[in-house]
Amino acid sequence: MSTEESSGGRSQIVVLSGPSGSGKSTIVQRLLRESPVRLSMSISATTRPRREGEVDGRDYYFLTPGEFEERRKRGDFLECAEVHKTGYWYGTLRSELHRAATENCWALLEVDVEGALNVIRDYPDALTIFLETPSVEVYEQRLRARGTESEEVLQRRLQTARNELELADRYRYRVVNDDLDRAVEEICGIIAQTEAKLNAG
Ligand code: 5GP
């Protein structure tokens, strides 16, 4: 996407995905503070019920299934998906990209793999980053050490992680979250490099 476009109402998009347990939310919080380019977090809409402590309009826009469907039909979403077969819908509102552009920021999207692939289809220039735990084996060790899941749930999670890893090749960058500071530094470097290329092109 050209710089003309970003100043003319569209913003550069950064997409971050990764399996649960990859440390996504901590990295997002750090990036919002430390990124070399100002980032604006895209607030997703969802039909899932609000969890304790969550605030409408800050964590998500909490919509009823009817409201969500109406907005989907109106074409308000850049992408939306029923995530992890939960029956709940999640989606990125186009208005969030406009908000980022008016704030002179790049939009940071934290979406699942399906959402990311849909974003790539419409915005092939999006900066896509897949966050990995060091390996599925390490992920398994972590889950077993935590001991909160039954064997069946654990196997399902591992299978999801393996499936997501297969799609990770479609992302522009893969970053291993072996060490939080190092991973944040690597992503900040990727963002700086992308900005330099945009300014040069
Ligand atoms: P949670 O319900 O725990 O907040 O989020 C569950 C999952 O929904 C996470 O894997 C997250 O990446 C995904 N998610 C959150 N917002 C969006 C969105 O706007 N679009 C898509 N496709 N997935 C999302």
Side-chain angles (χ1 to χ4, degrees):
M1 187 180 307
S2 71
T3 41
E4 285 80 11
E5 274 178 313
S6 37
S7 57
R10 288 178 81 172
S11 67
Q12 175 70 28
I13 297 175
V14 183
V15 176
L16 191 71
S17 310
S20 58
S22 58
K24 263 177 307 184
S25 41
T26 315
I27 293 212
V28 161
Q29 291 314 315
R30 290 273 305 263
L31 289 176
L32 290 174
R33 290 199 303 269
E34 298 170 34
S35 159
V37 174
R38 284 204 320 137
L39 300 176
S40 168
M41 189 69 204
S42 161
I43 300 164
S44 298
T46 183
T47 61
R48 115 158 135 58
R50 201 162 55 84
R51 292 187 190 132
E52 204 179 321
E54 286 183 332
V55 176
D56 184 40
R58 184 192 71 187
D59 300 292
Y60 281 105
Y61 299 112
F62 294 97
L63 304 181
T64 63
E67 287 166 341
F68 196 98
E69 181 57 12
E70 198 175 303
R71 298 200 68 169
R72 193 177 69 78
K73 281 195 196 135
R74 255 193 347 228
D76 286 359
F77 289 109
L78 173 68
E79 62 76 33
C80 64
E82 184 201 335
V83 170
H84 301 323
K85 302 191 174 65
T86 51
Y88 298 128
W89 283 77
Y90 294 78
T92 307
L93 291 161
R94 294 182 193 280
S95 53
E96 287 297 293
L97 299 189
H98 296 146
R99 186 169 62 78
T102 51
E103 290 170 0
N104 243 328
C105 292
W106 289 10
L108 176 61
L109 277 55
E110 194 261 281
V111 296
D112 77 332
V113 173
E114 188 182 347
L117 297 182
N118 287 331
V119 173
I120 295 171
R121 201 189 47 210
D122 284 1
Y123 292 84
D125 292 336
L127 170 54
T128 49
I129 301 169
F130 189 88
L131 207 58
E132 296 176 29
T133 45
S135 68
V136 175
E137 288 70 34
V138 172
Y139 181 44
E140 178 170 3
Q141 279 165 20
R142 283 187 193 168
L143 283 179
R144 287 199 187 280
R146 200 167 72 181
T148 48
E149 267 87 10
S150 65
E151 184 63 25
E152 190 196 337
V153 171
L154 193 133
Q155 289 303 335
R156 212 166 45 222
R157 282 185 156 226
L158 291 176
Q159 195 49 49
T160 304
R162 283 188 206 103
N163 295 346
E164 291 199 335
L165 270 177
E166 270 173 38
L167 293 168
D169 283 341
R170 309 274 288 275
Y171 287 67
R172 220 167 261 240
Y173 297 93
R174 294 168 70 151
V175 172
V176 178
N177 187 14
D178 46 358
D179 172 274
L180 182 63
D181 288 326
R182 198 207 57 77
V184 170
E185 197 179 314
E186 186 178 343
I187 296 173
C188 287
I190 292 170
I191 291 174
Q193 202 186 337
T194 305
E195 191 198 22
K197 271 195 212 144
L198 281 174
N199 289 337

